[in-house]
Amino acid sequence: MLLAAIGSGFVMALLAPGLTRRLGRAAGWVFAILPVTLTLLFAGAWSAAADGAPITTTLAWVPELGLSLSFRADGLSLLFALLITGIGALVVLYGGSYLHGDRDLGRFYSWLFVFMAAMLGVALADNLLLLFVFWELTSLSSYMLIGFGHDRAPARQAALQALLITGGGGLALLAGLVLLGVGAGTFEISALLGQGAAARIDPLYVPAVGLILVGAFTKSAQFPFHFWLPNAMEAPTPISAYLHSATMVKAGVYLLLRLSPALGGTELWTLVVGGVGATTMVLGAVLALAQTDLKRLLAYSTVSALGLLTLLIGIGTPRALEAAVVFLLAHALYKGALFLVAGILDHETGTRDITRLGGLWRGLPITAAAAGGAALSMAGLPPLFGFISKELAYEAALAGPGGPALIAVVVIAGIGFVVVAAQVGLAPFWGRRPTDEGVAHAHEPGVSLWLGPMILSLASLGAGVFAGAVGGWVGPAVASATGTPVTVRLALWHGLNPALWLSLLTLAVGGLLFAARRPIRNGLSRLNPVLGADLGFQAGLGGLNAVAQAQTRFFQNGYLRFYLLMVVATTILLVGGTLVSQIGVGWPLDVLDVQAHEVVFGGLILVAALVAITSRSRLSAIAALGAAGFGVSLIYLWYGAPDLAMTQFLIESLTVILFVLVFYHLPHFTRLSSPGARARDIVIALLAGGLMTALVLTVLAVPLFPSISGYYGAVSAAEAHGRNVVNVILVDFRGLDTLGEITVLGIAATGVYALLKLHPRNPAVGPVYDSARSEDGS
Amino acid sequence: MEIVLAFVIGGLYAAAVYMLLRRSLVKMLIGLALLSHAANLLIFAVARLTRGRPPIISLGAEDLASPYADPLPQALILTSIVISFGVMAFALALAYRTYRTTGTDDLDAMRGSDR
């Protein structure tokens, strides 16, 4: 069932573009059927998870690598799955209206379903490697969806940034998961969690946790990787609501919750996870105050919320984990709603600038109500669900290990939520009407747009009012995170405890800050670029590109001889270095077996070669080259290779004739290189020559592997009826090689003919040499 | 006796590499010609040499009489010589054509088609 649930999303992704064209306006409603069905399915699986016998599916994929298609729907997985499909249904419906008429709507749905399926995979996977595969798929679909408006440069940049950061984190995650799996001896998450403390004392624990945390932090936009999330607001608003608030950015948090029974509870975990979470939380809360764009405001507050979740997981007590799971649910409900509201405002008024919005409740009463509910939940007012989650977070902080500092940072985050909630959910709808015509005459959108935020707001309210039922309902999810069965009791009234006093303080300070929001914004917006870390990323990316370019310019500079120089120098260094350091240059035994005329032949060749390379006259260079060739053929003749000598002699004569013919048309030799370049080339050439000599000497010092020539000698006369063994080899034993050789000659002859005889007539393909280009400094 | 060839090979390689690194196209071609000599001699020498005993089965005999020069490297070199000639002929024609088209044999000046 789980496999089918995930697979259906991928199938839908394939069908979506075609269906979108057919269905037109109804597309959103029809497409929503799938996520709604899945929501019902997962809701049905709840009781099994609550009984401690979650539904599982296992299918072998690559068993050798420990990779199997195994899925497990326990409490935490189902909580996520329900968020993914439930909010997914609303977003699918909303997206159809929001992007109505966009020519790429089919593509939008396609990637949306890919994402939904991949995210379900992350939530339900019971195999570390499988989880990674889906994890990367979510990054990829996020990239495509952020870059949906790919004709705008900022969208492309934001998409690339998100991909680089989450993709880079994904690589770290893979390494961490592999270390974890190798250390534990299993890649099945359920088996891993069953081993309990074993993972924490494994020597691979520290590197594994470090790498996994990098993956989780990048995905969940934790400091110092937080900046991609506000930039990802380039995505269409339904995507921001879905991926970048309710689900995908919580994948990191999910992973931490999931692995916390196995990896959590150590000092390292508490310090790093808690510390990073606290930093992110405060940073997000402060930076949010500087924003005027509705979506960026929400994005920074999402960063802050993700920080709070991470912090709670870092604290790691059952209380804190319970608070984390409850806050995760509350946040998904209210933040999803607020994003969708922001989209409606953008859609109806044409602006997302909070300074230009106000008094919209007259035109958009339903949206105003939905926004109000979500905002009150976010601010943590009873009887909404946000109130309960905030009380739990405060209680966890009060009981946590961090003392007053911890309590202070959590309260700061709470204050930030109040201010943001008021700015996004309340200020645009109440207060003075702006003079702006377009804003003032905005009116209520269609039902498919307001239905999503309304349902989510009502869910926030319902979950608050029926807190007791919800408590029983999230119990299994908390149990997955703590690793032990727990009973969660949620209630609106916890008595007059310290958390309640903190809540009142939060509201009071939040209200004050909201009143003073303009001066605060002005003051902070100057700090924003410094704290944004975006600049650091840009600088890093620029630096990387500069290094790549410089390296390419250096190694791929277009000079043929530079490439040759590099190849030769590398060979000298690697082969020569190895020869000298590892093997040592050999020395053949029969050194003294040298006859005088052999030395003469050798000397002749060397002198001829020297003349060929030093001569200033073309003719003498060619003559010397010919002399060297004839010297080589003498060597062949002397050492029992008459066929070679003959061929070499003929070919050498032909080559000399060709050289003379061609050089007649070519310019005189001139010295083009500088003396320095010549000196460098001489050194390189001598080193290369010396290396070859050393190699030959070394080879000669070791015994020769028996040649197969004995076989050729024995069968040449008997079977091939030829007495010249070399000829028999060429035309018989290796006849196909010779056929290939003839083919090469034929091709070369055709090429020569074409080069000499054919003249380009079409000026468009004509002279390749462009004088203007060659003179501009190249 | 191979020791002489070892130094001849080294000398040829050095000369070939030096010429290949020249800016002039025609000098590069001389380097190419020297390089094929060097490579052929390398194959010849490392397979060990035998003086004056070509691998030819004498009339009436059924097998090569030991000692004999190894026929296998000779067959390889024969192919190599012919192929080098083909490459050389093509390269010379190309150099001729290039000079006619571009008016230069300085490799540094020939960047018109490469950008």
Side-chain angles (χ1 to χ4, degrees):
Chain A
M1 175 206 124
L2 300 175
L3 203 58
I6 294 167
S8 64
F10 289 117
V11 173
M12 199 63 175
L14 289 176
L15 300 177
L19 283 177
T20 310
R21 272 194 299 279
R22 293 272 165 73
L23 296 170
R25 226 169 218 300
W29 294 95
V30 175
F31 284 151
I33 294 173
L34 174 66
V36 167
T37 315
L38 291 178
T39 311
L40 296 176
L41 268 175
F42 289 131
W46 192 266
S47 59
D51 294 343
I55 297 175
T56 56
T57 309
T58 305
L59 202 68
W61 186 4
V62 193
E64 298 81 13
L65 296 178
L67 177 56
S68 61
L69 287 171
S70 54
F71 299 97
R72 190 164 181 271
D74 70 349
L76 186 63
S77 295
L78 276 180
L79 175 68
F80 260 86
L82 283 169
L83 283 178
I84 294 160
T85 52
I87 298 182
L90 302 176
V91 165
V92 163
L93 179 61
Y94 182 99
S97 282
Y98 187 82
L99 290 170
H100 178 69
D102 193 302
R103 65 189 161 84
D104 289 330
L105 186 59
R107 192 161 57 85
F108 170 83
Y109 275 127
S110 206
W111 282 107
L112 191 63
F113 279 114
V114 169
F115 167 76
M116 187 187 291
M119 193 65 208
L120 280 176
V122 170
L124 294 168
D126 193 31
N127 181 292
L128 291 174
L129 300 173
L130 185 67
L131 183 142
F132 169 77
V133 171
F134 285 118
W135 180 283
E136 290 296 77
L137 261 179
T138 63
S139 290
L140 196 66
S141 47
S142 159
Y143 168 74
M144 298 306 287
L145 287 166
I146 296 173
F148 180 72
H150 55 81
D151 43 358
R152 285 177 304 113
R156 294 198 300 271
Q157 281 161 9
L160 183 64
Q161 185 182 57
L163 182 70
L164 286 177
I165 291 178
T166 54
L171 289 180
L173 176 70
L174 175 62
L177 292 180
V178 168
L179 286 182
L180 180 63
V182 168
T186 175
F187 283 97
E188 296 297 301
I189 297 174
S190 44
L192 185 79
L193 298 183
Q195 294 182 2
R200 287 192 288 270
I201 52 168
D202 194 272
L204 292 173
Y205 173 75
V206 173
V209 165
L211 290 164
I212 290 173
L213 287 184
V214 169
F217 289 168
T218 51
K219 197 77 164 183
S220 283
Q222 297 296 300
F223 177 83
F225 310 110
H226 58 282
F227 52 89
W228 73 263
L229 186 56
N231 290 340
M233 293 301 120
E234 288 293 337
T237 306
I239 296 306
S240 306
Y242 191 33
L243 271 70
H244 304 125
S245 149
T247 57
M248 189 191 89
V249 289
K250 298 218 175 82
V253 174
Y254 166 78
L255 187 67
L256 296 182
L257 280 172
R258 170 58 72 206
L259 296 178
S260 144
L263 304 179
T266 60
E267 201 168 317
L268 173 85
W269 178 275
T270 307
L271 274 180
V272 175
V273 177
V276 168
T279 312
T280 312
M281 181 175 75
V282 174
L283 191 69
V286 172
L287 289 175
L289 299 180
Q291 309 300 321
T292 57
D293 182 288
L294 273 178
K295 282 179 73 180
R296 289 185 76 86
L297 193 63
L298 286 171
Y300 276 109
S301 104
T302 304
V303 169
S304 184
L306 292 169
L308 175 57
L309 284 169
T310 309
L311 170 65
L312 289 170
I313 297 168
I315 297 172
T317 57
R319 229 47 247 271
L321 291 174
E322 178 189 327
V325 172
V326 171
F327 177 62
L328 190 143
L329 178 61
H331 177 257
L333 295 177
Y334 71 67
K335 195 56 76 65
L338 286 178
F339 262 111
L340 295 178
V341 165
I344 293 175
L345 291 178
D346 190 11
H347 200 258
E348 301 305 321
T349 68
T351 181
R352 296 200 305 250
D353 188 341
I354 51 171
T355 58
R356 291 175 59 197
L357 297 169
L360 285 168
W361 69 271
R362 289 181 196 83
L364 299 94
I366 305 175
T367 310
L376 295 182
S377 181
M378 181 176 180
L381 284 171
L384 292 132
F385 196 48
F387 171 72
I388 297 170
S389 79
K390 188 190 56 182
E391 296 292 290
L392 284 180
Y394 284 179
E395 281 170 22
L398 285 165
L406 178 65
I407 299 164
V409 290
V410 176
V411 171
I412 288 175
I415 294 170
F417 294 154
V418 173
V419 183
V420 171
Q423 291 197 75
V424 176
L426 302 178
F429 297 96
W430 311 99
R432 233 165 7 93
R433 255 196 211 216
T435 48
D436 199 323
E437 278 293 301
V439 176
H441 292 101
H443 56 84
E444 198 67 65
V447 59
S448 53
L449 282 183
W450 61 251
L451 187 64
M454 188 49 99
I455 288 181
L456 290 173
S457 273
L458 288 177
S460 285
L461 180 64
V465 173
F466 302 104
V470 175
W473 192 69
V474 298
V478 178
S480 306
T482 55
T484 48
V486 286
T487 316
V488 176
R489 288 196 185 79
L490 299 182
L492 277 174
W493 181 249
H494 285 236
L496 280 172
N497 56 10
L500 189 67
W501 297 116
L502 283 177
S503 284
L504 290 177
L505 175 73
T506 306
L507 280 175
V509 178
L512 280 177
L513 288 180
F514 174 69
R517 62 191 180 277
R518 285 192 186 83
I520 292 175
R521 189 188 301 143
N522 293 339
L524 277 175
S525 55
R526 263 175 245 124
L527 272 176
N528 197 23
V530 184
L531 290 173
D534 202 1
L535 289 177
F537 175 81
Q538 298 297 348
L541 198 61
L544 188 68
N545 282 340
V547 168
Q549 271 168 13
Q551 185 194 318
T552 308
R553 264 200 306 275
F554 181 72
F555 285 114
Q556 303 286 324
N557 58 6
Y559 292 103
L560 176 64
R561 64 175 183 289
F562 177 81
Y563 300 156
L564 286 174
L565 192 71
M566 278 295 138
V567 170
V568 174
T570 310
T571 311
I572 293 172
L573 229 69
L574 294 185
V575 178
T578 314
L579 184 67
V580 171
S581 66
Q582 308 281 327
I583 301 165
V585 179
W587 195 251
L589 297 171
D590 52 347
V591 180
L592 295 177
D593 180 21
V594 175
Q595 297 181 359
H597 39 279
E598 288 170 357
V599 178
V600 173
F601 294 158
L604 171 74
I605 296 173
L606 287 179
V607 169
L610 193 65
V611 173
I613 65 172
T614 52
S615 168
R616 306 293 298 274
S617 139
R618 293 173 299 171
L619 205 59
S620 53
I622 297 167
L625 186 63
F630 294 138
V632 171
S633 60
L634 276 177
I635 297 258
Y636 291 148
L637 191 62
W638 182 253
Y639 291 111
D643 300 280
L644 292 191
M646 220 152 60
T647 316
Q648 178 71 47
F649 198 84
L650 279 174
I651 294 277
E652 201 56 43
S653 315
L654 267 176
T655 309
V656 167
I657 294 169
L658 262 181
F659 261 101
V660 171
L661 278 177
V662 169
F663 276 28
Y664 174 73
H665 295 283
L666 290 182
H668 290 280
F669 284 173
T670 42
R671 291 218 150 151
L672 293 168
S673 310
S674 63
R678 265 202 298 282
R680 178 199 64 199
D681 293 347
I682 288 172
V683 171
I684 294 281
L686 287 177
L687 282 173
L691 174 65
M692 295 315 289
T693 301
L695 279 178
V696 173
L697 289 175
T698 310
V699 170
L700 291 176
V702 293
L704 188 65
F705 188 79
S707 166
I708 57 168
S709 300
Y711 165 78
Y712 288 138
V715 299
S716 273
E719 293 182 10
H721 305 291
R723 301 202 165 268
N724 183 334
V725 180
V726 177
N727 287 3
V728 172
I729 290 176
L730 281 175
V731 300
D732 196 316
F733 296 129
R734 307 190 59 84
L736 276 177
D737 281 7
T738 309
L739 184 68
E741 179 190 339
I742 294 168
T743 314
V744 170
L745 280 187
I747 293 169
T750 316
V752 170
Y753 181 83
L755 285 168
L756 295 182
K757 289 291 175 195
L758 299 184
H759 297 278
R761 295 224 161 71
N762 182 358
V765 298
V768 287
Y769 180 70
D770 184 343
S771 60
R773 273 180 170 180
S774 78
E775 279 160 19
D776 60 14
S778 54
Chain B
M1 51 195 159
E2 290 91 352
I3 192 157
V4 179
L5 274 195
F7 287 96
V8 172
I9 291 164
L12 283 176
Y13 265 107
V17 168
Y18 178 74
M19 286 307 255
L20 283 174
L21 294 175
R22 298 302 86 210
R23 268 169 72 178
S24 158
L25 189 55
V26 288
K27 288 188 180 171
M28 225 188 91
L29 295 182
I30 293 179
L32 200 59
L34 290 171
L35 191 67
S36 49
H37 288 324
N40 291 342
L41 282 182
L42 179 73
I43 301 173
F44 200 52
V46 295
R48 301 309 175 337
L49 305 172
T50 312
R51 289 194 189 101
R53 300 284 298 192
I56 295 173
I57 304 167
S58 38
L59 277 175
E62 277 296 300
D63 201 350
L64 281 171
S66 232
Y68 56 89
D70 193 341
L72 188 62
Q74 293 191 22
L76 296 179
I77 294 168
L78 203 63
T79 308
S80 155
I81 292 173
V82 178
I83 297 277
S84 324
F85 172 69
V87 170
M88 202 65 229
F90 184 77
L92 280 168
L94 195 61
Y96 165 76
R97 188 77 205 169
T98 307
Y99 180 66
R100 291 296 292 268
T101 311
T102 65
T104 178
D105 84 324
D106 182 356
L107 286 168
D108 282 11
M110 291 177 208
R111 304 197 67 186
S113 60
D114 203 30
R115 282 193 299 187

